[in-house]
């Protein structure tokens, strides 16, 4: 019988990508994916960014422990693996607090999971070291990507592709430089090879990922430096790539060339996640963000000159140490000026080991109240943006079926989710194609539309096309 594998993923897109790679490695070895937590192998791919993420891990571990104990009554084993950023940051503390965890691996060592699982199983059979958890959280010299040669097992339309990892920016509130390590870019040829494999598997959109994706720096086979914008041009040349996106970009790395790429590459979507974090120069400085509000807004301006319809999204942190009411007000003003199409906002969460954690903290109630006020503004601009598309016809890349029969779900170039009802049972053939959709309604989180030319509903005369 195949062993079953259940993977639980917390955190950012990079973790989602890593979980996909872990699943690919293990399914090749004969493990079968299970939706149930009561599986032979349970892997938690964790996030350490805010305290809440860490709390969630330990509460979920408590739940899985009950399942592991129950299995024992039936003489069945369960191997529990904690991977990802909390594994890196907390290390042996996890094994101490949750002694039933068998393996802790960091984000740079998850390629070792198959051999470590085999070791755990061997040790169990020979009963040499029962119940002793293994810790592998180093930063190996050889990148995990060099060992991740397993073919991509992709089903879907929009494919994530990790091209860069780690961070050297050391924002004073953030754990990422400690959990993911120093900036590292995958070699250009590896990236292109993986991109081709994903496109061959039917991907129509590539989302290039990195903690600082625009800090990407590699060399081509002639030894010449390749920047992130050059990588985008190379990706746009690949056969079958309808759309390109990337995240997360740091404002400091928005080079002239990268901004120009938004003008020149038709597949590069007019939507950019460009986190600002705060609208006050004092707070930006305390955060060590290394740009000013004025610099940030000038980048947004240049992006708009390059691509007039570009939609911007952001992350915000409210209540960072030293943020005064006046500072916070500046953040609100910036949000109003930029009119974000979408945004994430968080209460500052003090993370052990980071410089901001040592400063005088702002009371929870103040942070909560500020978050509430900022979110009102962000919700308003998001809804206004979505409603502004009413009556407009947009090219929508369809990704999957909706919950209701005949309903299909796709994305506009601006990353908005669009629901369309199809007739004549054509929903299957529409998935993976771009269709012109007339937007009928704009809501806070989604749009509703209809095919712009209803005659087109008589598939197979459909033409999928680029923008
Ligand atoms: N590299 C990206 C962000 C990665 S983390 C960048 O520099 O923009 C994703 C988001 O989590 C950050 O943009 C920030 O808004 C938020 N974040 C990071 N550390 C945090 C903390 N300690 N408390 C609250 N939010 C935090
Ligand atoms: Fe964290 Fe700053 Fe690096 Fe982003 S740039 S990952 S916020 S340290
Ligand atoms: Fe979380 Fe690690 Fe991503 S801390 S946000 S999973 S890089």
């Amino acid at each position: 019988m195949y062993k079953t594998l259940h993977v639980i993923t917390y955190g950012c897109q990079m973790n989602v990508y890593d979980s996909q790679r872990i699943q690919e490695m293990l399914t090749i070895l004969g493990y079968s994916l299970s939706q149930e937590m009561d599986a032979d192998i349970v892997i938690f791919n964790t996030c350490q960014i805010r305290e809440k993420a860490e709390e969630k891990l330990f509460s979920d571990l408590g739940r899985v422990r009950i399942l592991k104990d129950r299995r024992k009554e039936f003489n069945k084993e369960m191997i529990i693996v904690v991977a990802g950023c909390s594994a890196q940051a907390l290390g042996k503390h996890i094994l101490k607090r949750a002694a039933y965890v068998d393996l802790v691996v960091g984000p740079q060592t998850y390629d070792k999971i198959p051999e470590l699982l085999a070791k755990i199983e061997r040790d169990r059979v020979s009963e040499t070291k029962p119940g002793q958890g293994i810790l592998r959280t180093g930063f190996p010299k050889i990148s995990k990507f060099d060992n991740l040669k397993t073919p991509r097992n992709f089903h879907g339309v929009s494919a994530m592709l990790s091209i860069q990892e780690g961070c050297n920016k050391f924002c004073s509130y953030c754990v990422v430089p400690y959990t993911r390590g120093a900036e590292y870019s995958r070699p250009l040829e590896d990236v292109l090879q993986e991109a081709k494999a994903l496109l061959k598997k039917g991907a129509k959109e590539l989302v290039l990922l990195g903690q600082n994706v625009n800090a990407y720096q590699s060399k081509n086979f002639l030894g010449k430096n390749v920047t992130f914008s050059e990588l985008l041009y190379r990706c746009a040349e690949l056969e079958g790539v309808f759309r390109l996106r990337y995240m997360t970009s740091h404002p400091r790395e928005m080079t002239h060339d990268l901004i120009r790429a938004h003008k020149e590459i038709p597949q590069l979507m007019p939507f950019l996640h460009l986190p600002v974090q705060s609208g006050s120069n004092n707070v930006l400085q305390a955060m060590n963000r290394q740009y000013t509000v004025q610099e940030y807004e000038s980048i947004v301006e240049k992006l708009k000159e390059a691509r007039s319809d570009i939609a911007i999204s952001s992350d915000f942190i409210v209540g960072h140490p030293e943020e005064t009411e006046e500072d916070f007000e500046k953040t609100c003003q910036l949000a109003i000026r930029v009119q974000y199409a979408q945004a994430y906002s968080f209460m500052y969460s003090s993370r052990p080991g980071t410089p901001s954690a040592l400063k005088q903290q702002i009371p929870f109630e103040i942070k909560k109240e500020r978050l509430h006020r900022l979110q009102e503004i962000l919700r308003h601009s998001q809804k206004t943006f979505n409603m502004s598309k009413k009556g407009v016809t947009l090219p929508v890349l369809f990704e999957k079926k909706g919950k209701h029969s005949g309903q299909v779900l796709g994305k506009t170039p601006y990353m908005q989710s669009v629901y369309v009802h199809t007739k004549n049972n054509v929903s299957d053939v529409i998935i993976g194609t771009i269709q012109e959709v007339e937007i009928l309604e704009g809501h806070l989180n989604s749009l509703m539309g209809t095919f712009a030319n209803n005659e087109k509903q008589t598939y197979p005369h459909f033409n999928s096309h680029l923008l």
Side-chain angles (χ1 to χ4, degrees):
M1 260 247 313
Y2 284 132
K3 295 227 155 147
T4 54
L5 166 71
H6 182 69
V7 181
I8 300 152
T9 308
Y10 315 80
C12 64
Q13 305 281 73
M14 310 269 322
N15 258 16
V16 177
Y17 173 87
D18 290 342
S19 289
Q20 287 177 358
R21 301 305 309 259
I22 291 170
Q23 289 175 3
E24 282 164 7
M25 272 190 315
L26 294 175
T27 45
I28 278 189
L29 294 174
Y31 293 92
S32 70
L33 293 183
S34 162
Q35 297 303 314
E36 304 292 323
M37 206 195 235
D38 189 0
D40 297 315
I41 318 277
V42 180
I43 300 181
F44 294 88
N45 196 9
T46 60
C47 173
Q48 183 70 4
I49 203 88
R50 285 168 289 273
E51 200 177 351
K52 266 204 185 130
E54 193 179 322
E55 283 165 4
K56 176 103 175 66
L57 165 67
F58 284 103
S59 89
D60 285 354
L61 278 174
R63 285 201 299 140
V64 82
R65 179 199 194 157
I66 297 169
L67 298 174
K68 182 168 178 163
D69 287 347
R70 198 180 304 150
R71 281 182 149 235
K72 271 198 196 123
E73 292 167 22
F74 297 95
N75 254 340
K76 275 163 71 183
E77 299 273 6
M78 175 190 280
I79 296 179
I80 302 176
V81 181
V82 178
C85 291
S86 300
Q88 190 67 43
L90 304 176
K92 58 178 186 289
H93 175 72
I94 295 176
L95 295 173
K96 257 196 212 149
R97 191 165 155 190
Y100 45 91
V101 169
D102 300 276
L103 173 61
V104 175
V105 284
Q108 306 309 344
T109 43
Y110 69 71
D111 55 311
K112 304 285 185 306
I113 289 178
E115 66 184 70
L116 293 168
L117 286 180
K119 179 174 161 45
I120 291 167
E121 302 223 351
R122 260 196 327 268
D123 288 352
R124 273 194 183 156
V125 173
S126 61
E127 286 184 23
T128 43
K129 289 179 199 153
Q132 216 173 60
I134 300 177
L135 185 71
R136 281 288 188 287
T137 51
F139 288 107
K141 279 218 176 79
I142 296 176
S143 157
K144 66 178 176 235
F145 289 111
D146 289 348
N147 294 327
L148 279 175
K149 296 293 182 199
T150 30
R152 297 302 321 261
N153 182 16
F154 178 77
H155 307 280
V157 174
S158 179
M160 288 179 284
L161 171 44
S162 231
I163 64 158
Q164 181 279 337
E165 275 218 59
C167 183
N168 298 344
K169 302 270 187 307
F170 290 94
C171 300
S172 50
Y173 50 80
C174 184
V175 292
V176 171
Y178 312 98
T179 63
R180 292 269 170 174
E183 279 176 12
Y184 166 82
S185 297
R186 292 179 66 188
L188 175 74
E189 294 308 322
D190 285 11
V191 172
L192 294 175
Q193 209 176 345
E194 190 171 329
K196 282 182 204 157
L198 289 163
L199 294 166
K200 223 174 172 180
K201 292 259 174 192
K204 306 293 182 213
E205 174 176 275
L206 296 177
V207 186
L208 305 182
L209 296 181
Q211 264 94 22
N212 276 286
V213 73
N214 50 349
Y216 179 88
Q217 184 80 52
S218 176
K219 287 194 190 311
N220 68 10
F221 63 96
L222 295 171
K224 188 180 163 286
N225 281 345
V226 177
T227 61
F228 179 61
S229 54
E230 286 172 74
L231 173 64
L232 284 173
Y233 285 94
R234 293 293 301 272
C235 286
E237 285 166 7
L238 298 175
E239 199 183 320
V241 64
F242 287 8
R243 289 183 169 184
L244 284 172
R245 299 182 187 275
Y246 60 91
M247 69 184 296
T248 295
S249 39
H250 193 286
R252 269 199 62 190
E253 315 273 358
M254 285 310 298
T255 60
H256 186 69
D257 287 353
L258 180 51
I259 294 173
R260 196 174 56 219
H262 279 273
K263 186 182 183 139
E264 293 180 351
I265 301 179
Q267 294 105 318
L268 190 55
M269 289 296 101
F271 175 87
L272 184 64
H273 186 58
L274 193 64
V276 68
Q277 313 297 358
S278 168
S280 151
N281 284 336
N282 290 343
V283 177
L284 287 176
Q285 199 172 8
M287 287 176 162
N288 189 30
R289 286 295 287 184
Q290 302 174 43
Y291 54 80
T292 62
V293 177
Q294 292 69 29
E295 282 162 349
Y296 178 88
E297 288 193 88
S298 129
I299 294 165
V300 173
E301 271 317 300
K302 284 184 193 140
L303 281 160
K304 284 187 176 154
E305 279 163 25
R307 177 86 206 225
S308 59
D309 62 336
I310 198 159
I312 309 288
S313 80
S314 180
D315 293 342
F316 291 90
I317 298 177
V318 304
H320 183 272
E322 296 172 3
E323 183 187 77
T324 62
E325 182 58 31
E326 203 187 337
D327 291 321
F328 173 69
E329 194 47 49
K330 287 181 179 162
T331 300
C332 295
Q333 292 307 322
L334 174 74
I336 292 167
R337 285 199 301 279
V338 177
Q339 282 293 301
Y340 288 98
Q342 202 240 314
Y344 298 98
S345 46
F346 312 99
M347 257 188 264
Y348 166 74
S349 169
S350 169
R351 308 310 287 132
T354 61
S356 299
L358 303 173
K359 293 191 177 164
Q360 172 90 42
Q361 302 293 305
I362 291 185
F364 176 80
E365 284 309 318
I366 295 183
K367 290 197 279 190
K368 194 171 141 193
E369 189 265 338
R370 287 183 188 167
L371 183 66
H372 188 77
R373 270 158 62 197
L374 178 62
Q375 287 185 337
E376 276 291 295
I377 294 168
L378 295 172
R379 255 197 303 271
H380 183 261
S381 70
Q382 180 171 323
K383 195 166 175 198
T384 308
F385 179 71
N386 286 347
M387 283 168 56
S388 74
K389 299 294 177 235
K390 192 175 162 181
V392 178
T393 296
L394 294 173
V396 172
L397 174 58
F398 285 95
E399 293 183 355
K400 56 184 179 193
K401 291 187 186 182
K403 279 192 198 123
H404 306 289
S405 132
Q407 192 184 47
V408 276
L409 180 58
K411 291 262 163 60
T412 69
Y414 315 104
M415 219 36 198
Q416 298 151 296
S417 295
V418 189
Y419 291 89
V420 177
H421 283 276
T422 59
K423 289 183 197 145
N424 310 336
N425 245 354
V426 294
S427 55
D428 276 328
V429 291
I430 284 171
I431 309 294
T433 68
I434 294 179
Q435 303 298 334
E436 294 295 325
V437 171
E438 185 188 336
I439 305 303
L440 302 174
E441 290 172 26
H443 303 284
L444 178 62
N445 293 314
S446 63
L447 308 177
M448 238 267 299
T450 184
F451 293 113
N453 180 354
N454 275 319
E455 286 153 38
K456 280 188 180 171
Q457 286 207 27
T458 50
Y459 174 81
H461 306 294
F462 267 177
N463 265 335
S464 49
H465 53 272
L466 301 181
L467 244 182

